[in-house]
Amino acid sequence: TFLLTCKDGESERKYILQRINSSIFQDPPALMENMANVTAFLRKNIAQKGGNPERETLNVIKTKSGENYHIDSCHSYWRVFLFIDDTVCLEKIENPRDFYDSGVAFGNFQRQLAAYPAETLHETIPLFHHTPSRFLAFQKALKENPLGRAEMVQAEIDFALAREDDT
């Protein structure tokens, strides 16, 4: 991920340039179609409510040919967003207020997307949100315990196992 600063005379604009991890996101065009469609939906709703779409959601920058991504000579996929000044990106929660604010932001994001046609989205990481599959993978990792650290988090393991019926 890179921060680009582009100057044209007296004006300056910042962008985020990011290589898409195609080991994780094995279909970058589908990922970027999702992102472009969701952010366009959000921009429209934000503008209708008098908000500022350049600050309140990501803005995907298209290539000269109109694509949402660029493929370089090494077959890597790249994307560009407008940089949003005066924001922070938390690597971890430092205090209860961070946790609360993150929850409020996520809830707001979910509310804004309530009317989005979810059937138009591509599944970009198969079974990522499929709780039964995730729980089976957890059980497998627990059984194999390849690094021998399961006993260090037994209370957390017991908490998860006690909720198997919920999965």
Side-chain angles (χ1 to χ4, degrees), residues 25-43:
F25 298 103
Q26 296 179 4
D27 188 355
L31 169 72
M32 290 311 299
E33 184 178 323
N34 285 351
M35 288 195 79
N37 291 341
V38 166
T39 56
F41 179 87
L42 291 172
R43 274 194 313 280

Side-chain angles (χ1 to χ4, degrees), residues 102-132:
S102 297
V104 168
F106 185 70
N108 185 46
F109 177 71
Q110 292 291 85
R111 187 180 69 253
Q112 288 176 314
L113 288 176
Y116 187 83
E119 68 278 0
T120 66
L121 293 170
H122 301 284
E123 185 176 25
T124 56
I125 301 177
L127 301 176
F128 185 80
H129 294 287
H130 188 256
T131 306

Side-chain angles (χ1 to χ4, degrees), residues 4 21 23 84 105 136 149:
L4 306 178
N21 184 339
S23 295
I84 305 172
L136 287 173
R149 296 188 290 193

Side-chain angles (χ1 to χ4, degrees), residues 139-155:
Q139 289 175 313
K140 181 177 185 268
L142 185 58
K143 182 178 179 182
E144 293 173 2
N145 192 17
L147 300 177
R149 296 188 290 193
E151 64 277 354
M152 295 168 36
V153 290
Q154 194 59 53

Side-chain angles (χ1 to χ4, degrees), residues 40-102:
F41 179 87
L42 291 172
R43 274 194 313 280
K44 180 181 173 189
N45 289 342
I46 291 164
Q48 286 175 347
K49 293 179 179 166
N52 182 351
E54 286 196 9
R55 286 204 53 80
E56 296 178 44
T57 188
L58 289 176
N59 288 269
V60 178
I61 304 299
K62 293 184 179 291
T63 64
K64 287 182 179 181
S65 61
E67 298 293 332
N68 298 315
Y69 55 88
H70 171 74
I71 306 172
D72 68 15
S73 61
C74 297
H75 306 289
S76 291
Y77 287 78
W78 294 84
R79 60 190 178 187
V80 176
F81 304 105
L82 290 180
F83 179 77
I84 305 172
D85 285 311
D86 302 318
T87 60
V88 295
C89 178
L90 300 176
E91 295 291 324
K92 63 180 181 175
I93 299 297
E94 297 287 343
N95 56 60
R97 184 66 193 203
D98 290 344
F99 192 74
Y100 175 82
D101 290 343
S102 297

